[in-house]
PDB file of all heavy atoms in Angstrom:
ATOM      1  N   SER A 548     -85.501 -99.766  11.730  1.00 96.00           N
ATOM      2  CA  SER A 548     -84.769-100.520  10.718  1.00 96.00           C
ATOM      3  C   SER A 548     -83.499-101.214  11.321  1.00 96.00           C
ATOM      4  O   SER A 548     -82.951-102.153  10.642  1.00 96.00           O
ATOM      5  CB  SER A 548     -84.320 -99.506   9.585  1.00 96.00           C
ATOM      6  OG  SER A 548     -85.409 -98.954   8.941  1.00 96.00           O
ATOM      7  N   MET A 549     -82.947-100.610  12.350  1.00 97.00           N
ATOM      8  CA  MET A 549     -81.708-101.290  12.879  1.00 97.00           C
ATOM      9  C   MET A 549     -82.030-102.134  14.138  1.00 97.00           C
ATOM     10  O   MET A 549     -81.095-103.024  14.509  1.00 97.00           O
ATOM     11  CB  MET A 549     -80.694-100.211  13.238  1.00 97.00           C
ATOM     12  CG  MET A 549     -80.248 -99.444  12.042  1.00 97.00           C
ATOM     13  SD  MET A 549     -78.896 -98.302  12.417  1.00 97.00           S
ATOM     14  CE  MET A 549     -78.453 -97.676  10.748  1.00 97.00           C
ATOM     15  N   LEU A 550     -83.135-101.979  14.780  1.00 97.00           N
ATOM     16  CA  LEU A 550     -83.420-102.842  15.935  1.00 97.00           C
ATOM     17  C   LEU A 550     -84.774-103.513  15.712  1.00 97.00           C
ATOM     18  O   LEU A 550     -85.198-104.294  16.632  1.00 97.00           O
ATOM     19  CB  LEU A 550     -83.611-101.893  17.145  1.00 97.00           C
ATOM     20  CG  LEU A 550     -82.275-101.327  17.670  1.00 97.00           C
ATOM     21  CD1 LEU A 550     -82.527-100.282  18.688  1.00 97.00           C
ATOM     22  CD2 LEU A 550     -81.283-102.435  18.144  1.00 97.00           C
ATOM     23  N   CYS A 551     -85.368-103.410  14.573  1.00 96.00           N
ATOM     24  CA  CYS A 551     -86.689-104.178  14.224  1.00 96.00           C
ATOM     25  C   CYS A 551     -87.725-103.901  15.310  1.00 96.00           C
ATOM     26  O   CYS A 551     -88.403-104.821  15.642  1.00 96.00           O
ATOM     27  CB  CYS A 551     -86.296-105.648  13.968  1.00 96.00           C
ATOM     28  SG  CYS A 551     -85.443-105.850  12.404  1.00 96.00           S
ATOM     29  N   SER A 552     -87.778-102.737  15.863  1.00 94.00           N
ATOM     30  CA  SER A 552     -88.767-102.374  16.855  1.00 94.00           C
ATOM     31  C   SER A 552     -89.592-101.117  16.365  1.00 94.00           C
ATOM     32  O   SER A 552     -89.179-100.035  16.674  1.00 94.00           O
ATOM     33  CB  SER A 552     -88.097-102.139  18.263  1.00 94.00           C
ATOM     34  OG  SER A 552     -89.035-101.770  19.176  1.00 94.00           O
ATOM     35  N   ASP A 553     -90.499-101.460  15.534  1.00 83.00           N
ATOM     36  CA  ASP A 553     -91.164-100.359  14.835  1.00 83.00           C
ATOM     37  C   ASP A 553     -92.059 -99.542  15.767  1.00 83.00           C
ATOM     38  O   ASP A 553     -92.472 -99.976  16.916  1.00 83.00           O
ATOM     39  CB  ASP A 553     -92.071-100.797  13.724  1.00 83.00           C
ATOM     40  CG  ASP A 553     -92.148 -99.879  12.512  1.00 83.00           C
ATOM     41  OD1 ASP A 553     -91.834 -98.625  12.754  1.00 83.00           O
ATOM     42  OD2 ASP A 553     -92.608-100.318  11.424  1.00 83.00           O
ATOM     43  N   VAL A 554     -92.475 -98.331  15.413  1.00 85.00           N
ATOM     44  CA  VAL A 554     -93.283 -97.393  16.145  1.00 85.00           C
ATOM     45  C   VAL A 554     -94.463 -97.105  15.470  1.00 85.00           C
ATOM     46  O   VAL A 554     -94.365 -96.781  14.148  1.00 85.00           O
ATOM     47  CB  VAL A 554     -92.458 -96.096  16.488  1.00 85.00           C
ATOM     48  CG1 VAL A 554     -93.275 -95.213  17.295  1.00 85.00           C
ATOM     49  CG2 VAL A 554     -91.161 -96.515  17.212  1.00 85.00           C
ATOM     50  N   PRO A 555     -95.694 -97.044  15.956  1.00 82.00           N
ATOM     51  CA  PRO A 555     -96.895 -96.686  15.173  1.00 82.00           C
ATOM     52  C   PRO A 555     -96.766 -95.363  14.696  1.00 82.00           C
ATOM     53  O   PRO A 555     -96.131 -94.458  15.171  1.00 82.00           O
ATOM     54  CB  PRO A 555     -97.937 -96.733  16.254  1.00 82.00           C
ATOM     55  CG  PRO A 555     -97.490 -97.606  17.339  1.00 82.00           C
ATOM     56  CD  PRO A 555     -96.011 -97.422  17.303  1.00 82.00           C
ATOM     57  N   PRO A 556     -97.420 -95.062  13.430  1.00 79.00           N
ATOM     58  CA  PRO A 556     -97.305 -93.784  12.926  1.00 79.00           C
ATOM     59  C   PRO A 556     -98.204 -92.776  13.738  1.00 79.00           C
ATOM     60  O   PRO A 556     -99.086 -93.193  14.548  1.00 79.00           O
ATOM     61  CB  PRO A 556     -97.953 -93.945  11.503  1.00 79.00           C
ATOM     62  CG  PRO A 556     -98.798 -95.166  11.646  1.00 79.00           C
ATOM     63  CD  PRO A 556     -98.112 -96.013  12.704  1.00 79.00           C
ATOM     64  N   PRO A 557     -97.955 -91.420  13.516  1.00 76.00           N
ATOM     65  CA  PRO A 557     -98.812 -90.573  14.268  1.00 76.00           C
ATOM     66  C   PRO A 557    -100.223 -90.519  13.797  1.00 76.00           C
ATOM     67  O   PRO A 557    -100.518 -90.962  12.709  1.00 76.00           O
ATOM     68  CB  PRO A 557     -98.080 -89.164  14.005  1.00 76.00           C
ATOM     69  CG  PRO A 557     -97.365 -89.394  12.677  1.00 76.00           C
ATOM     70  CD  PRO A 557     -96.959 -90.814  12.790  1.00 76.00           C
ATOM     71  N   PRO A 558    -101.102 -90.112  14.764  1.00 74.00           N
ATOM     72  CA  PRO A 558    -102.519 -89.926  14.232  1.00 74.00           C
ATOM     73  C   PRO A 558    -102.700 -89.087  12.948  1.00 74.00           C
ATOM     74  O   PRO A 558    -101.859 -88.134  12.753  1.00 74.00           O
ATOM     75  CB  PRO A 558    -103.217 -89.309  15.357  1.00 74.00           C
ATOM     76  CG  PRO A 558    -102.294 -89.574  16.615  1.00 74.00           C
ATOM     77  CD  PRO A 558    -100.885 -89.622  16.044  1.00 74.00           C
ATOM     78  N   PRO A 559    -103.657 -89.393  12.108  1.00 76.00           N
ATOM     79  CA  PRO A 559    -103.720 -88.692  10.954  1.00 76.00           C
ATOM     80  C   PRO A 559    -104.034 -87.177  10.991  1.00 76.00           C
ATOM     81  O   PRO A 559    -103.705 -86.424  10.082  1.00 76.00           O
ATOM     82  CB  PRO A 559    -104.910 -89.385  10.175  1.00 76.00           C
ATOM     83  CG  PRO A 559    -105.735 -90.084  11.286  1.00 76.00           C
ATOM     84  CD  PRO A 559    -104.708 -90.457  12.272  1.00 76.00           C
ATOM     85  N   ASP A 560    -104.569 -86.743  12.130  1.00 70.00           N
ATOM     86  CA  ASP A 560    -104.986 -85.372  12.295  1.00 70.00           C
ATOM     87  C   ASP A 560    -103.893 -84.624  13.080  1.00 70.00           C
ATOM     88  O   ASP A 560    -104.107 -83.422  13.479  1.00 70.00           O
ATOM     89  CB  ASP A 560    -106.289 -85.201  12.901  1.00 70.00           C
ATOM     90  CG  ASP A 560    -106.335 -85.864  14.358  1.00 70.00           C
ATOM     91  OD1 ASP A 560    -105.481 -86.716  14.583  1.00 70.00           O
ATOM     92  OD2 ASP A 560    -107.252 -85.616  15.054  1.00 70.00           O
ATOM     93  N   VAL A 561    -102.723 -85.216  13.374  1.00 68.00           N
ATOM     94  CA  VAL A 561    -101.751 -84.543  14.233  1.00 68.00           C
ATOM     95  C   VAL A 561    -101.045 -83.401  13.442  1.00 68.00           C
ATOM     96  O   VAL A 561    -100.872 -83.561  12.288  1.00 68.00           O
ATOM     97  CB  VAL A 561    -100.734 -85.542  14.804  1.00 68.00           C
ATOM     98  CG1 VAL A 561     -99.797 -85.997  13.784  1.00 68.00           C
ATOM     99  CG2 VAL A 561     -99.977 -84.872  15.971  1.00 68.00           C
ATOM    100  N   ASN A 562    -100.718 -82.340  14.098  1.00 66.00           N
ATOM    101  CA  ASN A 562     -99.934 -81.276  13.475  1.00 66.00           C
ATOM    102  C   ASN A 562     -98.470 -81.544  13.664  1.00 66.00           C
ATOM    103  O   ASN A 562     -97.892 -81.632  14.796  1.00 66.00           O
ATOM    104  CB  ASN A 562    -100.289 -79.940  14.161  1.00 66.00           C
ATOM    105  CG  ASN A 562     -99.469 -78.785  13.615  1.00 66.00           C
ATOM    106  OD1 ASN A 562     -98.865 -78.862  12.558  1.00 66.00           O
ATOM    107  ND2 ASN A 562     -99.544 -77.621  14.224  1.00 66.00           N
ATOM    108  N   THR A 563     -97.824 -81.891  12.558  1.00 64.00           N
ATOM    109  CA  THR A 563     -96.439 -82.318  12.598  1.00 64.00           C
ATOM    110  C   THR A 563     -95.449 -81.074  12.337  1.00 64.00           C
ATOM    111  O   THR A 563     -94.196 -81.378  12.354  1.00 64.00           O
ATOM    112  CB  THR A 563     -96.070 -83.419  11.435  1.00 64.00           C
ATOM    113  OG1 THR A 563     -96.359 -82.806  10.260  1.00 64.00           O
ATOM    114  CG2 THR A 563     -96.975 -84.627  11.741  1.00 64.00           C
ATOM    115  N   ALA A 564     -95.969 -79.975  12.187  1.00 66.00           N
ATOM    116  CA  ALA A 564     -95.039 -78.805  11.989  1.00 66.00           C
ATOM    117  C   ALA A 564     -94.307 -78.401  13.297  1.00 66.00           C
ATOM    118  O   ALA A 564     -94.901 -78.501  14.413  1.00 66.00           O
ATOM    119  CB  ALA A 564     -95.889 -77.620  11.552  1.00 66.00           C
ATOM    120  N   VAL A 565     -93.082 -78.097  13.071  1.00 65.00           N
ATOM    121  CA  VAL A 565     -92.228 -77.585  14.244  1.00 65.00           C
ATOM    122  C   VAL A 565     -91.687 -76.150  13.971  1.00 65.00           C
ATOM    123  O   VAL A 565     -91.008 -75.998  12.973  1.00 65.00           O
ATOM    124  CB  VAL A 565     -91.081 -78.558  14.520  1.00 65.00           C
ATOM    125  CG1 VAL A 565     -90.335 -78.050  15.741  1.00 65.00           C
ATOM    126  CG2 VAL A 565     -91.564 -79.975  14.837  1.00 65.00           C
ATOM    127  N   ALA A 566     -92.195 -75.239  14.754  1.00 63.00           N
ATOM    128  CA  ALA A 566     -91.850 -73.823  14.450  1.00 63.00           C
ATOM    129  C   ALA A 566     -90.353 -73.697  14.781  1.00 63.00           C
ATOM    130  O   ALA A 566     -89.628 -74.378  15.485  1.00 63.00           O
ATOM    131  CB  ALA A 566     -92.677 -72.923  15.340  1.00 63.00           C
ATOM    132  N   THR A 567     -89.739 -72.606  14.241  1.00 65.00           N
ATOM    133  CA  THR A 567     -88.379 -72.212  14.424  1.00 65.00           C
ATOM    134  C   THR A 567     -88.192 -71.911  15.987  1.00 65.00           C
ATOM    135  O   THR A 567     -89.042 -71.186  16.588  1.00 65.00           O
ATOM    136  CB  THR A 567     -87.946 -71.047  13.631  1.00 65.00           C
ATOM    137  OG1 THR A 567     -88.106 -71.316  12.217  1.00 65.00           O
ATOM    138  CG2 THR A 567     -86.524 -70.608  13.906  1.00 65.00           C
ATOM    139  N   ALA A 568     -87.147 -72.471  16.533  1.00 63.00           N
ATOM    140  CA  ALA A 568     -86.856 -72.255  17.935  1.00 63.00           C
ATOM    141  C   ALA A 568     -86.470 -70.781  18.309  1.00 63.00           C
ATOM    142  O   ALA A 568     -85.853 -70.219  17.527  1.00 63.00           O
ATOM    143  CB  ALA A 568     -85.818 -73.185  18.484  1.00 63.00           C
ATOM    144  N   PRO A 569     -87.057 -70.193  19.331  1.00 70.00           N
ATOM    145  CA  PRO A 569     -86.579 -68.912  19.733  1.00 70.00           C
ATOM    146  C   PRO A 569     -85.137 -68.851  20.142  1.00 70.00           C
ATOM    147  O   PRO A 569     -84.590 -69.911  20.462  1.00 70.00           O
ATOM    148  CB  PRO A 569     -87.497 -68.546  20.905  1.00 70.00           C
ATOM    149  CG  PRO A 569     -87.977 -69.859  21.522  1.00 70.00           C
ATOM    150  CD  PRO A 569     -88.044 -70.794  20.368  1.00 70.00           C
ATOM    151  N   ALA A 570     -84.569 -67.667  20.269  1.00 70.00           N
ATOM    152  CA  ALA A 570     -83.114 -67.532  20.664  1.00 70.00           C
ATOM    153  C   ALA A 570     -82.873 -68.250  21.951  1.00 70.00           C
ATOM    154  O   ALA A 570     -83.555 -68.163  22.877  1.00 70.00           O
ATOM    155  CB  ALA A 570     -82.776 -66.102  20.656  1.00 70.00           C
ATOM    156  N   GLY A 571     -81.774 -69.088  21.854  1.00 73.00           N
ATOM    157  CA  GLY A 571     -81.444 -69.676  23.063  1.00 73.00           C
ATOM    158  C   GLY A 571     -81.901 -71.052  23.373  1.00 73.00           C
ATOM    159  O   GLY A 571     -81.542 -71.823  24.255  1.00 73.00           O
ATOM    160  N   GLN A 572     -82.996 -71.445  22.596  1.00 85.00           N
ATOM    161  CA  GLN A 572     -83.634 -72.722  22.742  1.00 85.00           C
ATOM    162  C   GLN A 572     -83.213 -73.669  21.627  1.00 85.00           C
ATOM    163  O   GLN A 572     -83.252 -73.315  20.500  1.00 85.00           O
ATOM    164  CB  GLN A 572     -85.151 -72.562  22.693  1.00 85.00           C
ATOM    165  CG  GLN A 572     -85.971 -73.821  23.030  1.00 85.00           C
ATOM    166  CD  GLN A 572     -87.433 -73.734  23.027  1.00 85.00           C
ATOM    167  OE1 GLN A 572     -87.974 -73.468  21.844  1.00 85.00           O
ATOM    168  NE2 GLN A 572     -88.096 -73.667  24.145  1.00 85.00           N
ATOM    169  N   THR A 573     -82.639 -74.792  22.045  1.00 90.00           N
ATOM    170  CA  THR A 573     -82.245 -75.786  20.963  1.00 90.00           C
ATOM    171  C   THR A 573     -83.372 -76.517  20.443  1.00 90.00           C
ATOM    172  O   THR A 573     -84.498 -76.523  20.924  1.00 90.00           O
ATOM    173  CB  THR A 573     -81.271 -76.773  21.687  1.00 90.00           C
ATOM    174  OG1 THR A 573     -81.951 -77.564  22.624  1.00 90.00           O
ATOM    175  CG2 THR A 573     -80.014 -76.068  22.410  1.00 90.00           C
ATOM    176  N   GLY A 574     -83.070 -77.175  19.289  1.00 87.00           N
ATOM    177  CA  GLY A 574     -84.013 -78.015  18.647  1.00 87.00           C
ATOM    178  C   GLY A 574     -84.575 -79.109  19.696  1.00 87.00           C
ATOM    179  O   GLY A 574     -85.647 -79.520  19.688  1.00 87.00           O
ATOM    180  N   ARG A 575     -83.571 -79.630  20.413  1.00 91.00           N
ATOM    181  CA  ARG A 575     -83.908 -80.657  21.482  1.00 91.00           C
ATOM    182  C   ARG A 575     -84.870 -80.102  22.513  1.00 91.00           C
ATOM    183  O   ARG A 575     -85.859 -80.804  22.770  1.00 91.00           O
ATOM    184  CB  ARG A 575     -82.604 -81.205  22.070  1.00 91.00           C
ATOM    185  CG  ARG A 575     -82.868 -82.112  23.237  1.00 91.00           C
ATOM    186  CD  ARG A 575     -81.687 -82.676  23.778  1.00 91.00           C
ATOM    187  NE  ARG A 575     -82.031 -83.549  24.987  1.00 91.00           N
ATOM    188  CZ  ARG A 575     -81.275 -84.693  25.285  1.00 91.00           C
ATOM    189  NH1 ARG A 575     -80.155 -85.004  24.587  1.00 91.00           N
ATOM    190  NH2 ARG A 575     -81.598 -85.429  26.353  1.00 91.00           N
ATOM    191  N   ASP A 576     -84.612 -78.956  22.826  1.00 89.00           N
ATOM    192  CA  ASP A 576     -85.487 -78.273  23.891  1.00 89.00           C
ATOM    193  C   ASP A 576     -87.044 -78.210  23.370  1.00 89.00           C
ATOM    194  O   ASP A 576     -87.967 -78.484  23.949  1.00 89.00           O
ATOM    195  CB  ASP A 576     -85.164 -76.926  24.210  1.00 89.00           C
ATOM    196  CG  ASP A 576     -83.824 -76.864  24.969  1.00 89.00           C
ATOM    197  OD1 ASP A 576     -83.492 -77.850  25.669  1.00 89.00           O
ATOM    198  OD2 ASP A 576     -83.092 -75.907  25.002  1.00 89.00           O
TER     199      ASP A 576
END
Side-chain angles (χ1 to χ4, degrees):
S548 297
M549 294 186 175
L550 293 170
C551 289
S552 177
D553 211 345
V554 181
D560 58 345
V561 72
N562 180 8
T563 61
V565 180
T567 302
Q572 187 181 70
T573 66
R575 174 175 180 148
D576 294 334

